[in-house]
Amino acid sequence: MLASYAVEHSRGRRYPEPTHPYRNDFQRDRDRVIHSRAFRRLEAKTQVFTRRYSDHFRNRLTHTLEVAQISRTIAGQLGLNVYLVEALALVHDIGHPPFGHAGERALDAVMGKHGFSFDHNLHALRIVEDFELRYAAFPGLNLTFEVREGIIKHSRDYSAREFPELAEYLLDQRPPLEAQLIDITDELAYNTADLDDGYEAKLLTLEQIIEGVPLFAQLFREIEQRYPDAQKKLQFNEVLRRMLDRWVGDLIENTRGQIQQSGVATLDDLRACAHRLAGLSPEIEAERRQTKQFLHRNLYFTPALEPEKEAAERIITDLFELWMTHPEKLPGNYREKAQSEPLARVVCDYIAGMTDPYIYEQYEKHCG
Ligand code: MG
């Protein structure tokens, strides 16, 4: 049963298509995302670690699956459109370049020198609108309005003045709850997963986490009392799953409360609402922020990861400059694109689509 403020039907696709006999529009979009080349490339893109410290690490694909699984649970509890949520979760990181956030910063910096910028949400929209070639009748995946809107609006607001090209996405309105959820779920997923991967990589110690994350410390004391003889790693796992469960439960309850308080009854009410309604309660939001700050200080900016970040920056910067000065070395389809689009944008699109191993290969070939 869908709630009265859930997305029930799509406003449609850019190129109208007949309905499918047994899949609704959002199921079809979910399937189109899963069958896209950009989705498959997520497997070889960095989430946090470029180097493989072990075989058990998240990459962008497994992270994406975790976000989809958590979001589905939340959406079901809130009476939202689970198919739309699933499509949005599966597509949410599709615009990320190789080498994670280091890659994103490097690409934005080199684009800045040419008067442009790089934004992974805008890039994701270009992928699904343009770069994926699967259908004879139209370019891209011809996704529904709601999925394209969610790609743009799930994590931030874009001003209509600064981004006139996004006007069709109702920039003065809030996105549906299905999209609002994704950004928070994304954070809850990686805050817990990065503690796990950081501990597994031995970049974080148990003592360090206990000292730096009060919620973890409190739960760890409880687990030690309950399972005093269990291995440390199992105690650690028990704590992590309680953290995630606590945060997800709060997100459901608090969002439900916000909806009730706001008096929102329909999707139009929700879109017209002055602020987003999906979110954590102040207490849990403080826990999330503390954990995130801990990860920033102790994992994302640890000196141990500096060399791989520097390598990411060098590889992206050198390859970008190489193709800017020697566009004849680009593959044919990109040379062709450069006749109608700025060269910097074309080079950026080419690099952003690459997986980590592929860009290493290109670097060896051209700059090695
Ligand atoms: Mg993500």
Side-chain angles (χ1 to χ4, degrees):
M1 266 296 279
L2 283 183
S4 57
Y5 42 77
V7 175
E8 198 178 350
H9 301 293
S10 174
R11 296 182 177 216
R13 303 180 185 277
R14 202 175 284 294
Y15 306 90
E17 293 181 54
T19 55
H20 190 274
Y22 51 85
R23 289 181 305 157
N24 67 42
D25 280 333
F26 302 123
Q27 284 176 293
R28 291 173 87 183
D29 280 8
R30 174 202 60 194
D31 300 349
R32 287 174 189 204
V33 170
I34 290 179
H35 288 274
S36 69
R37 299 206 305 179
F39 184 76
R40 291 197 290 279
R41 292 198 302 267
L42 291 175
E43 182 197 17
K45 291 202 182 211
T46 292
Q47 177 68 17
V48 176
F49 306 95
T50 307
R51 183 157 87 77
R52 302 297 294 175
Y53 286 85
S54 85
D55 279 351
H56 316 301
F57 274 62
R58 273 93 179 163
N59 55 45
R60 244 177 228 288
L61 179 63
T62 60
H63 157 72
T64 293
L65 296 177
E66 290 181 5
V67 174
Q69 165 259 326
I70 298 167
S71 320
R72 268 198 316 260
T73 303
I74 300 168
Q77 282 301 304
L78 293 174
L80 300 176
N81 191 317
V82 175
Y83 299 119
L84 173 58
V85 163
E86 194 175 14
L88 287 172
L90 292 172
V91 84
H92 90 279
D93 267 355
I94 218 164
H96 274 282
F99 303 140
H101 289 287
E104 194 173 356
R105 269 193 306 276
L107 206 46
D108 189 51
V110 285
M111 281 295 272
K113 286 191 204 154
H114 297 273
F116 298 97
S117 60
F118 176 77
D119 175 307
H120 69 90
N121 290 336
L122 299 179
H123 186 68
L125 191 64
R126 289 161 70 75
I127 290 175
V128 302
E129 286 265 77
D130 206 14
F131 304 158
E132 284 291 326
L133 301 172
R134 291 186 56 80
Y135 300 93
F138 42 74
L141 302 176
N142 198 26
L143 300 178
T144 55
F145 171 83
E146 290 72 14
V147 173
R148 286 179 286 127
E149 181 199 20
I151 287 174
I152 289 302
K153 285 157 75 172
H154 74 273
S155 62
R156 55 165 285 199
D157 296 315
Y158 289 82
S159 88
R161 203 159 38 83
E162 229 184 307
F163 296 91
E165 72 276 20
L166 300 177
E168 69 176 298
Y169 298 112
L170 316 172
L171 296 180
D172 55 338
Q173 297 182 14
R174 306 290 76 69
L177 276 167
E178 283 84 349
Q180 292 186 27
L181 272 186
I182 300 298
D183 194 46
I184 310 160
T185 309
D186 182 27
E187 284 230 8
L188 302 188
Y190 70 67
N191 280 339
T192 46
D194 292 348
L195 285 177
D196 192 22
D197 285 351
Y199 180 57
E200 185 90 22
K202 299 190 169 56
L203 292 172
L204 297 173
T205 65
L206 193 53
E207 293 67 34
Q208 210 180 353
I209 303 174
I210 288 172
E211 204 190 300
V213 185
L215 171 65
F216 188 97
Q218 178 206 319
L219 292 170
F220 195 78
R221 278 193 300 274
E222 291 170 25
I223 292 300
E224 270 189 319
Q225 276 176 10
R226 186 149 173 206
Y227 302 106
D229 302 323
Q231 284 175 26
K232 276 281 168 281
K233 176 62 182 165
L234 293 183
Q235 292 177 335
F236 179 92
N237 290 351
E238 288 291 338
V239 173
L240 269 198
R241 68 189 194 85
R242 278 167 179 74
M243 276 176 83
L244 184 57
D245 195 49
R246 173 183 169 94
W247 289 347
V248 168
D250 181 80
L251 176 56
I252 294 167
E253 285 318 314
N254 188 66
T255 303
R256 213 194 307 271
Q258 294 290 319
I259 296 166
Q260 265 158 18
Q261 249 180 43
S262 69
V264 157
T266 66
L267 181 56
D268 284 340
D269 294 348
L270 186 98
R271 284 185 170 283
C273 206
H275 53 91
R276 296 180 180 226
L277 296 177
L280 300 166
S281 67
E283 183 199 348
I284 303 293
E285 172 59 20
E287 291 175 3
R288 182 202 63 79
R289 210 174 319 116
Q290 250 170 1
T291 309
K292 188 172 176 152
Q293 279 165 2
F294 171 82
L295 286 165
H296 268 267
R297 275 197 291 270
N298 298 283
L299 185 64
Y300 306 146
F301 293 100
T302 172
L305 293 183
E306 251 345 280
E308 58 186 81
K309 279 196 227 163
E310 281 165 20
E313 200 183 305
R314 189 176 60 246
I315 290 171
I316 287 187
T317 309
D318 290 0
L319 280 173
F320 190 93
E321 292 308 334
L322 170 93
W323 283 312
M324 286 304 289
T325 40
H326 294 286
E328 76 280 2
K329 293 189 176 176
L330 283 167
N333 52 337
Y334 285 93
R335 284 203 305 273
E336 208 171 289
K337 276 188 179 182
Q339 302 193 337
S340 55
E341 280 180 85
L343 179 61
R345 179 59 65 198
V346 173
V347 173
C348 176
D349 285 342
Y350 183 39
I351 290 178
M354 293 180 186
T355 60
D356 295 10
Y358 188 74
I359 197 169
Y360 274 126
E361 211 178 277
Q362 291 299 308
Y363 190 69
E364 276 297 302
K365 180 173 156 192
H366 295 287
C367 316

